[in-house]
Amino acid sequence: GLRAALAKNFIASVRTIDADILCLQEIKSRPEQLPPAALAELCELYPYQTWNPAERPGYSGTATLSRLQPDDTGIGLGYTEYDSEGRVTIHHLGDVILYNIYFPNGRNDLSRVPYKLDFYARLLEQCDQLHQTGKQIILTGDFNTSHKEIDLKNARANAGSTGFLPEERLWIDRYLERGFVDTFRQLYPEKV
């Protein structure tokens, strides 16, 4: 959570990164729950902020902090079952739409895998519609899925675990087939 990160010199790290836009996932807090001095410092560093905390206290949530003034912002995908968990913030910057996403976890007992796969489907549907209007889309955040064996240190040990199930990995394929690019893998094709 963000409050725990703030207690571990998060703001000093942010200053070192010196990013124009900072996308945070699993924040587990609302801005008013942060120490006032820390919130003031974040506001000074990033004057344009979009917060989407989960309705359930101490759970999930996303925040996009920006030095660049967005043309528009949004939260959620428009589906109550996901939006109550604070999983998406959106910044419109010209023809570029930046999605900051905390994708659902399928749980150890795999009970939320269908929920997770439906989230992937609904987001891709939305992206397809935006692409048809000429928008460029950046998806960033915690995907909660490793696409290929190279993306995990112990792929064999995780073969039956959520985050590396074939049906989850297939959704990453679908996004790539629609023109999205895994920028990490493109920059570091051999890095485990």
Side-chain angles (χ1 to χ4, degrees), residues 10-150:
F10 175 72
I11 293 178
S13 296
V14 168
R15 287 186 184 282
T16 302
I17 294 167
D18 194 31
D20 287 328
I21 301 174
L22 189 64
C23 296
L24 307 175
Q25 304 84 39
E26 205 169 357
I27 59 172
K28 298 183 178 183
S29 60
R30 301 178 174 284
E32 60 270 14
Q33 293 176 301
L34 303 180
L39 180 59
E41 198 166 356
L42 283 175
C43 289
E44 178 186 314
L45 289 168
Y46 296 100
Y48 306 103
Q49 302 183 359
T50 304
W51 293 80
N52 191 10
E55 289 177 8
R56 186 170 115 196
Y59 181 73
S60 192
T62 51
T64 301
L65 314 179
S66 180
R67 293 178 182 155
L68 309 173
Q69 184 173 4
D71 301 320
D72 195 11
T73 63
I75 58 172
L77 293 178
Y79 299 97
T80 307
E81 62 269 31
Y82 305 114
D83 296 347
S84 65
E85 295 187 358
R87 297 201 169 273
V88 178
T89 60
I90 306 164
H91 273 212
H92 297 256
L93 301 148
D95 283 337
V96 176
I97 301 175
L98 170 67
Y99 280 80
N100 174 17
I101 307 170
Y102 179 41
F103 287 80
N105 184 300
R107 287 201 178 133
N108 289 340
D109 65 2
L110 309 183
S111 62
R112 285 203 9 149
V113 170
Y115 175 86
K116 177 181 182 178
L117 300 180
D118 191 54
F119 182 93
Y120 271 104
R122 291 182 182 208
L123 173 63
L124 187 56
E125 210 173 86
Q126 196 171 102
C127 290
D128 284 344
Q129 292 170 359
L130 290 167
H131 277 141
Q132 289 173 3
T133 67
K135 298 292 184 186
Q136 297 177 45
I137 302 168
I138 298 171
L139 302 176
T140 191
D142 182 349
F143 280 68
N144 263 321
T145 299
S146 296
H147 184 221
K148 301 284 184 186
E149 287 188 10
I150 192 172

